[in-house]
Amino acid sequence: MELIRKGLIAITGTTGVGKSQLAIELARKLNGEVINADALQVYKGYDIITNKVTAEEMLGVPHHLLDFKEYTVQEFERDALQKIHEIHGRNRVPILVGGTNYYIQSVMFQKEPGSPQGGSTGVQPNDHSFEQSQVDKSNQQLWEELKSVDPIMAENWHPNNRRKILRSLEVLHTTGRKHSEWVADSEEARRKEETLRFPTLLFWLYADTPVLNQRIDNRVGDMIERGLFGELGQLAKDLSDPRAEFEAYLKAAATDSKTSELECEQLKAKGIEDMKTSTRRYAKRQITWIRNKLIPECRSTLGKSTRAHPFVLDATDLGQWKSEVMNKGLSIAQKFVGSAQLPEAAAVSDTAARLLAEVKEKPNSILAWKRHFCSVCSKSAEETPNGVALEVWLNGDDEYNQHMHSRQHKHNIKHRKRVSSWHKKDGDDARGCDAPLSKRANTNLESTGD
Ligand SMILES: [Zn+2]
């Protein structure tokens, strides 16, 4: 059996799915070493906050890049590649494990230097003649015009973003080709310039959202019992940037604070709820990224000499973890290391089949972003102190959902309600903005996508 030369096993997924345990099991059975790819775990001394694997749990398996420092992605990439090189030199298998997307991606894929910037058309706007020729048209007219000739690009711009709309019209005018086509081409070119560094076996450990959310809530509870607040106090001193959720509580709990005990407890309870919410939201973003970006990028290596093989392992039922995650993972990894035929990824489990069917063919394009406009938070020029209109756009559903729950958005809703009740008397539109689409006046938020 010929061993795969200079291969890599990568394990990713949210918190609470057993990534570290799988890494350790694989390392023990396959003569491997573990490289940490979790940005949080590099905080030295904060074992509870970062849910760091303990020396006892490591079972003698070497772990690299734990307890290190705050990394930039470039520093991480450099050090992780160095470690992989060393591990290959010892004829062992490097196992990269963690939930930090850009760490995993920077190690798996190499970006060729000098990639063109997004949307480059090779045409520079070198005079203002085009702009001048359009000076009599209103923003709305220009947007309608763009929508008729390049609807994809029109959907990308807010109808009041005159500069961008003019630019898209100018590109078509000058090059005879739609701006959206230039953007799509340049995205495609950048994808081609991303090359996989090692033959890679990727495991995505997945748990269904309701189960995972419950697990996250329980974990936050565990962390508190294990002494989370002690670490948080220390972290606040060390970084002068505590976990934002507990900032109010930690301030109130400081010895010189005059906050009452009851208020303190309320702030603490609020902090705990906020921590659960933000951890859930982070998990959701991780899953979206794996499904929409990482797996499609792996698939794009199909037919190339260096390939990435993505597999989903179902960690929804922890009672089945050993058979569903450990045994299945080990069996696949043994085949990979032994250069044997790998099974069909969709045949591993029903969950794998379902998730892989949902994966997009290509990584997310900016042209496929569903853009959302928040009319609650956007302000017309008359409403801002500096007289410059503020438009709040959210790129994609995740950013939108996050924004909807943000403190700023909730604050603005309250503010708008007040303003609206004042203005009702004069029949003024509380938004103070000439809503270009009639729907906008009636709904707080509107998607410009389908
Ligand atoms: Zn908003």
Side-chain angles (χ1 to χ4, degrees):
M1 195 164 68
E2 201 201 334
L3 290 186
I4 192 145
R5 294 287 163 211
K6 297 190 183 298
L8 173 72
I9 297 178
I11 302 172
T12 191
T14 61
T15 185
V17 290
K19 295 188 296 286
S20 302
Q21 290 95 309
L22 178 65
I24 290 163
E25 284 304 323
L26 296 184
R28 292 176 70 204
K29 302 276 166 45
L30 301 171
N31 193 25
E33 296 185 27
V34 176
I35 300 166
N36 169 54
D38 206 315
L40 270 182
Q41 292 208 345
V42 299
Y43 281 108
K44 194 178 179 109
Y46 301 107
D47 297 354
I48 299 168
I49 296 172
T50 62
N51 189 37
K52 196 173 295 172
V53 59
T54 64
E56 204 176 288
E57 288 164 340
M58 288 180 195
L59 300 169
V61 169
H63 277 63
H64 305 282
L65 308 189
L66 269 173
D67 261 352
F68 224 70
K69 56 173 181 166
E70 223 171 331
Y71 268 122
T72 66
V73 69
Q74 288 84 4
E75 289 167 335
F76 178 81
E77 180 183 333
R78 180 199 64 206
D79 287 3
L81 289 173
Q82 176 63 32
K83 290 292 170 197
I84 290 173
H85 181 70
E86 290 167 15
I87 295 167
H88 281 152
R90 292 191 279 273
N91 274 321
R92 290 165 75 97
V93 181
I95 301 171
L96 184 70
V97 57
T100 302
N101 306 330
Y102 49 92
Y103 279 9
I104 301 265
Q105 185 166 28
S106 72
V107 172
M108 283 178 65
F109 294 92
Q110 176 164 29
K111 285 235 192 297
E112 297 297 330
S115 296
Q117 287 306 299
S120 168
T121 56
V123 178
Q124 295 302 319
N126 44 15
D127 61 45
H128 294 284
S129 58
F130 183 78
E131 201 181 323
Q132 289 299 326
S133 69
Q134 307 294 310
V135 76
D136 290 338
K137 294 179 186 164
S138 73
N139 291 356
Q140 186 62 24
Q141 280 173 324
L142 288 169
W143 188 76
E144 301 279 357
E145 197 176 308
L146 181 63
K147 196 170 164 68
S148 68
V149 292
D150 188 352
I152 297 174
M153 219 57 213
E155 287 301 325
N156 257 310
W157 308 136
H158 183 271
N160 287 343
N161 199 336
R162 188 180 184 91
R163 198 175 57 82
K164 296 279 194 187
I165 293 167
L166 276 170
R167 173 70 184 144
S168 291
L169 285 168
E170 184 182 13
V171 166
L172 179 64
H173 178 81
T174 322
T175 69
R177 205 163 166 246
K178 293 175 191 172
H179 195 191
S180 60
E181 290 174 2
W182 285 105
V183 173
D185 272 7
S186 114
E187 284 184 340
E188 185 65 31
R190 254 178 304 150
R191 261 199 298 282
K192 282 196 183 128
E193 281 160 17
E194 265 183 1
T195 50
L196 188 70
R197 286 197 167 97
F198 315 98
T200 305
L201 174 64
L202 173 78
F203 286 121
W204 171 16
L205 271 54
Y206 172 86
D208 278 336
T209 304
V211 174
L212 180 66
N213 284 346
Q214 188 56 53
R215 214 173 281 166
I216 285 169
D217 289 359
N218 296 344
R219 268 254 323 260
V220 170
D222 282 353
M223 286 161 84
I224 289 159
E225 273 177 29
R226 287 167 57 204
L228 174 72
F229 288 102
E231 275 192 6
L232 282 171
Q234 190 57 43
L235 189 64
K237 278 181 216 146
D238 284 4
L239 296 180
S240 66
D241 177 28
R243 288 214 42 152
E245 299 93 337
F246 293 108
E247 202 178 342
Y249 165 68
L250 289 170
K251 261 186 205 150
T255 40
D256 56 345
S257 163
K258 293 196 174 62
T259 319
S260 78
E261 207 160 305
L262 176 67
E263 270 178 288
C264 249
E265 283 310 305
Q266 282 166 344
L267 287 171
K268 184 174 174 178
K270 169 115 187 11
I272 293 169
E273 277 318 301
D274 288 352
M275 186 174 185
K276 287 176 181 172
T277 311
S278 66
T279 311
R280 285 170 171 212
R281 230 177 269 152
Y282 177 59
K284 196 161 171 263
R285 284 204 302 278
Q286 287 173 302
I287 291 173
T288 306
W289 179 83
I290 296 168
R291 194 184 51 212
N292 294 351
K293 184 128 176 76
L294 186 60
I295 304 278
E297 279 190 16
C298 287
R299 283 188 174 173
S300 72
T301 65
L302 194 85
K304 294 188 178 169
S305 56
T306 305
R307 285 207 46 199
H309 307 271
F311 283 88
V312 177
L313 298 173
D314 189 356
T316 303
D317 180 357
L318 289 183
Q320 303 288 316
W321 190 86
K322 212 172 161 213
S323 59
E324 282 299 314
V325 179
M326 194 176 99
N327 294 346
K328 285 183 177 178
L330 182 60
S331 157
I332 296 164
Q334 275 166 335
K335 291 188 172 87
F336 173 74
V337 171
S339 302
Q341 177 79 40
L342 295 173
E344 269 296 312
V348 170
S349 67
D350 291 347
T351 303
R354 175 169 58 85
L355 288 178
L356 291 170
E358 286 172 7
V359 168
K360 299 196 174 135
E361 273 313 302
K362 280 182 178 177
N364 262 0
S365 157
I366 64 157
L367 297 175
W369 271 349
K370 215 176 189 179
R371 287 168 61 87
H372 302 269
F373 177 71
C374 184
S375 62
V376 173
C377 299
S378 299
K379 291 188 170 84
S380 66
E382 296 79 57
E383 290 176 296
T384 60
N386 57 3
V388 177
L390 171 78
E391 290 177 356
V392 178
W393 281 90
L394 298 315
N395 293 319
D397 293 348
D398 285 344
E399 218 177 285
Y400 159 77
N401 288 328
Q402 217 178 334
H403 175 80
M404 287 304 282
H405 289 99
S406 68
R407 216 166 284 179
Q408 180 215 3
H409 180 79
K410 285 175 184 165
H411 170 86
N412 284 335
I413 288 176
K414 275 188 206 151
H415 179 71
R416 290 278 177 208
K417 277 195 188 132
R418 270 207 314 276
V419 174
S420 150
S421 63
W422 295 337
H423 283 247
K424 254 183 196 134
K425 289 170 216 143
D426 1 281
D428 201 348
D429 174 11
R431 281 191 60 246
C433 176
D434 59 330
L437 301 172
S438 57
K439 266 196 289 178
R440 259 184 203 142
N442 306 325
T443 51
N444 285 341
L445 264 153
E446 189 223 341
S447 155
T448 58
D450 54 7

